[in-house]
C-alpha cells in the first residue's frame, strides 16, 4: 500500500467495522447478570490474546506471504469468527431478565460520560501514536524485520497484562 489516503480510508473502515462494541453488547444482552463479570474477563482475555498472537502471525506472515495474502488470511479468520458467533445459539436466559434500557440517551449526554468518552478517545489515539512510533523506530533505527516487530507486540501485550494485574 503506497497511498497514504488509501491507508487512512482502509483504517477508518476497519475501525468502523470493529467487533469490539457489538461483542460487549452481546455480553450484556445475552449473558445472565451474575455471569457478566466473567464474560467481560473472558472477552478481555480474548482481545489481549488475539492482539498478542496476531502481532506475531502478521509479522511472520507479511515477510513470507506478503501483505495481500496475510490480509486475506486475517480477514478469513474474522469471517469464521463472525459465522461461529452468529450461528451459535444464544442462552435462553438473558435479555428477558434484564430491565429495559431506559435513560440511555440521558446517560450519553451526561457530562461525566462525555468526559470519559473523550478520555478513552485520547488514550486510544495516544496508544496508536506510541505503537506507530515504536514500529517506525524499530524498523528505521534498529532495522527490525516485520517478523521481529511482530514479536515485539508479544512483549508489549505481556507488559499490558502485567500492568492490568499488578497496577490497576
Amino acid at each position: 500500500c503506497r497511498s497514504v489516503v488509501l491507508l487512512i480510508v482502509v483504517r477508518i473502515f476497519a475501525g468502523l467495522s470493529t467487533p469490539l462494541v457489538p461483542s460487549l453488547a452481546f455480553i450484556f444482552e445475552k449473558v445472565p447478570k451474575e455471569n457478566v463479570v466473567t464474560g467481560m474477563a473472558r472477552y478481555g482475555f480474548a482481545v489481549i490474546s488475539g492482539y498478542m498472537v496476531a502481532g506475531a502471525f502478521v509479522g511472520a506472515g507479511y515477510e513470507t506471504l506478503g501483505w495481500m495474502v496475510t490480509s486475506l488470511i486475517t480477514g478469513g479468520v474474522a469471517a469464521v469468527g463472525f459465522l461461529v458467533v452468529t450461528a451459535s445459539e444464544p442462552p435462553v436466559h438473558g435479555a428477558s431478565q434484564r430491565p429495559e434500557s431506559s435513560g440511555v440517551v440521558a446517560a450519553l449526554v451526561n457530562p461525566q460520560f462525555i468526559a470519559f468518552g473523550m478520555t478513552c478517545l485520547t488514550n486510544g489515539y495516544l496508544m496508536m501514536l506510541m505503537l506507530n512510533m515504536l514500529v517506525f523506530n524499530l524498523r528505521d533505527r534498529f532495522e527490525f524485520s516485520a517478523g521481529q516487530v511482530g514479536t515485539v507486540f508479544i512483549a508489549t501485550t505481556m507488559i499490558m497484562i502485567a500492568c492490568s494485574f499488578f497496577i490497576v
Side-chain angles (χ1 to χ4, degrees):
C1 181
R2 301 208 186 278
S3 168
V4 175
V5 174
L6 179 61
L7 183 62
I8 291 170
V9 168
V10 167
R11 189 62 197 111
I12 288 171
F13 279 111
L16 289 174
S17 62
T18 181
L20 299 178
V21 175
S23 300
L24 290 173
F26 182 83
I27 290 169
F28 283 114
E29 181 183 341
K30 302 295 182 185
V31 175
K33 195 173 190 176
E34 62 273 8
N35 295 335
V36 168
V37 173
T38 303
M40 292 299 295
R42 289 177 180 168
Y43 167 80
F45 178 75
V47 170
I48 295 287
S49 299
Y51 183 75
M52 182 170 65
V53 172
F57 168 75
V58 170
Y62 178 82
E63 284 185 343
T64 57
L65 304 172
W67 74 271
M68 179 64 83
V69 174
T70 303
S71 295
L72 290 172
I73 291 170
T74 57
V77 169
V80 168
F82 172 77
L83 293 174
V84 167
V85 169
T86 52
S88 66
E89 183 151 343
V92 177
H93 55 284
S96 61
Q97 294 180 342
R98 295 208 189 278
E100 282 296 316
S101 305
S102 60
V104 172
V105 174
L108 292 175
V109 297
N110 180 305
Q112 287 86 5
F113 181 81
I114 293 171
F116 175 73
M118 295 305 293
T119 302
C120 290
L121 181 68
T122 303
N123 285 341
Y125 175 77
L126 291 174
M127 182 175 174
M128 288 310 302
L129 180 63
M130 183 273 302
L131 289 174
N132 288 333
M133 294 309 296
L134 173 67
V135 169
F136 292 139
N137 275 309
L138 291 174
R139 183 194 66 190
D140 296 341
R141 181 180 253 184
F142 299 104
E143 299 179 359
F144 276 36
S145 67
Q148 291 170 318
V149 171
T151 305
V152 170
F153 279 95
I154 294 174
T156 305
T157 305
M158 297 303 255
I159 292 168
M160 289 167 58
I161 290 171
C163 289
S164 294
F165 281 114
F166 300 112
I167 295 176
V168 175

